[in-house]
Amino acid sequence: MTYSLYIAILMLVGMAGGKLASKVGLPTVSGYLLCGLLLGPSVLNLITSEVYYSLGFVNELALGMLAISVGTELHYLMFKKFGKNLVTISMGNAVLTVAVTSLLTWLVGMPIQYALILGTLALTVSPAGVVEVIKDTRSEGEMTQNVLGLVAFDNLVAIMAFGMMVSFVQSFGNQGPGGIALLGSVLLDIFLGMMIGVLSGLFVSFFIRKDTSNDKLLVILLAVILFNTGIASMYGLSPVLTNIFSGIAITNLTSSKVLIATLLNRIEMPVFVIFLTLAGAHINLSIIGTVGVAGLAYIAARSIGKYFGSLVFSQFTDVSKKVRPYIGLGLFPQAGIAIGLATIAERSIPNVSGAITGVVLAGAVFFEIFGPMITGYALKAAGETKAARTPKFKKQ
């Protein structure tokens, strides 16, 4: 088949899955993913690994759009209002997630070096899983704002912690200089990604202030997203963080969060249907049997760390009691960032033989399918979805 046919199938099957999911009360995101799973190697094998990687351009565009949207949420006024809460909750769930995941995976037989790496990888959150559920349910309110901010914070903390942990683990094998060099490299990569993102954000802001027409502004915005992604990939930086910083720059220089959302809304539906259905097709259920108990331990430990870390440390913030039990559940989705970092870890540490990537992939299978469902439940329970906010009137 041609790639045009593959894209057509992904769009039509994904849309049908999203519609069916909404009919039974699930997020449409889950419908896209489950239909993708049906098309992938676990069932029909219509979307093979070759097709998945050949359509990687769609993944890059979608992740860039999501990342820049997350960045626009971090306006300085929002940070002034929620900043203390974000830092406290993010650092709290980071400490507990790393500790519990490292301990539990070590107890089930993973070497301590690998367990420590898995602990830091458990910190990452999938922007796609969170942002799309929020848009799908039209959620708004205190929890929604905090969760969107935490997606950016948690991923930044995760990448920094990952560099430090790999450096520490390398020192176990008397590779001190290499470990220190890697830590410096990771910090430099974050700085370079920030600089590229800020500069590209300045570029977009210039045209916003010039009152450029929305059609032309959309072209400029997409070009910047692809530029950030391309440059980041070329030099081994994080495309997600680069686009997050770009979004932060745009929103703080122009206060144009609504404008950016309106522009991206014009094209996001077809892009995200393909992206999320394709993501489901990339899931291979056989990996669960390969990693066994270690994969289950990772899933359980990350869930405990995210939930209780956010719950416990939110007690030290001014987040309302109504929202506190649900923030951690909003951070369950996990996918691409964790897999990418796992691949880097296996290149940096000798004799891993796929153990770390296997466990993370097993976790991604669970959190990519069930994470959006859990996030949707949390938003509804907090009363922030459109359905929860709409009063129901009984017939007389």
Side-chain angles (χ1 to χ4, degrees):
M1 286 198 298
T2 65
Y3 288 114
S4 298
L5 283 174
Y6 282 122
I7 290 174
I9 291 169
L10 287 166
M11 293 177 75
L12 293 174
V13 173
M15 280 293 293
K19 186 68 174 177
L20 286 172
S22 65
K23 288 287 186 182
V24 297
L26 296 175
T28 56
V29 177
S30 298
Y32 302 149
L33 291 167
L34 289 172
C35 278
L37 178 64
L38 180 68
L39 295 174
S42 296
V43 186
L44 299 177
N45 200 31
L46 182 64
I47 306 298
T48 62
S49 295
E50 180 185 353
V51 174
Y52 174 83
Y53 288 110
S54 297
L55 296 176
F57 168 81
V58 179
N59 294 337
E60 293 177 351
L61 177 59
L63 282 172
M65 290 168 61
L66 286 164
I68 211 164
S69 296
V70 169
T72 59
E73 296 293 332
L74 296 179
H75 192 276
Y76 77 94
L77 290 177
M78 192 283 289
F79 192 81
K80 183 178 179 180
K81 183 176 181 180
F82 297 111
K84 180 183 175 183
N85 297 346
L86 295 179
V87 172
T88 303
I89 297 172
S90 183
M91 296 308 295
N93 86 58
V95 170
L96 197 59
T97 301
V98 171
V100 174
T101 305
S102 299
L103 178 62
L104 203 53
T105 52
W106 173 66
L107 288 175
V108 298
M110 292 294 285
I112 186 63
Q113 298 96 316
Y114 302 174
L116 290 170
I117 296 296
L118 288 169
T120 58
L121 294 177
L123 296 177
T124 62
V125 182
S126 167
V130 176
V131 174
E132 284 307 297
V133 171
I134 287 173
K135 289 183 177 180
D136 180 41
T137 56
R138 300 182 187 179
S139 297
E140 58 183 51
E142 181 185 12
M143 176 178 163
T144 304
Q145 287 290 334
N146 277 286
V147 167
L148 284 170
L150 285 167
V151 170
F153 259 80
D154 280 9
N155 285 324
L156 178 58
V157 170
I159 291 174
M160 294 179 69
F162 170 78
M164 296 176 188
M165 190 62 78
V166 172
S167 171
F168 175 68
V169 167
Q170 282 187 326
S171 69
F172 281 16
N174 296 320
Q175 300 178 43
I180 294 171
L182 179 65
L183 174 58
S185 175
V186 170
L187 295 176
L188 178 62
D189 287 351
I190 292 172
F191 176 75
L192 290 176
M194 180 177 70
M195 289 297 98
I196 294 169
V198 169
L199 289 174
S200 62
L202 283 168
F203 181 75
V204 174
S205 299
F206 171 80
F207 289 98
I208 292 175
R209 288 175 171 169
K210 287 289 184 180
D211 292 324
T212 306
S213 68
N214 284 0
D215 290 335
K216 292 178 181 177
L217 197 57
L218 176 59
V219 174
I220 292 168
L221 183 61
L222 290 177
V224 163
I225 290 171
L226 293 173
F227 173 83
N228 288 343
T229 300
I231 289 290
S233 299
M234 186 182 299
Y235 292 102
L237 310 177
S238 168
V240 171
L241 281 183
T242 302
N243 278 299
I244 285 176
F245 283 123
S246 189
I248 292 172
I250 293 169
T251 194
N252 282 284
L253 290 169
T254 64
S255 297
S256 298
K257 182 182 80 170
V258 174
L259 173 60
I260 298 300
T262 302
L263 292 174
L264 293 178
N265 190 54
R266 293 185 177 190
I267 66 164
E268 70 176 16
M269 187 65 176
V271 172
F272 288 130
V273 170
I274 298 170
F275 166 63
L276 291 164
T277 309
L278 200 58
H282 190 50
I283 296 172
N284 193 334
L285 295 178
S286 65
I287 193 68
I288 297 175
T290 304
V291 298
V293 178
L296 295 175
Y298 175 84
I299 292 168
R302 182 178 183 270
S303 302
I304 292 168
K306 284 291 182 186
Y307 178 74
F308 286 102
S310 299
L311 177 63
V312 171
F313 283 85
S314 65
Q315 309 299 318
F316 304 103
T317 69
D318 56 7
V319 172
S320 65
K321 291 183 179 179
K322 176 185 177 182
V323 168
R324 290 175 190 172
Y326 304 111
I327 290 180
L329 298 177
L331 302 173
F332 268 38
Q334 186 186 45
I337 300 175
I339 296 169
L341 292 178
T343 304
I344 294 172
E346 298 215 339
R347 290 201 302 264
S348 305
I349 303 169
N351 304 319
V352 177
S353 303
I356 292 174
T357 302
V359 172
V360 171
L361 283 171
V365 169
F366 176 86
F367 290 114
E368 197 164 6
I369 294 174
F370 296 103
M373 299 181 192
I374 295 169
T375 297
Y377 160 77
L379 290 166
K380 183 177 180 180
E384 298 196 0
T385 63
K386 183 182 179 182
R389 296 193 311 270
T390 303
K392 296 180 181 178
F393 298 97
K394 294 182 179 180
K395 292 182 179 180
Q396 298 295 328

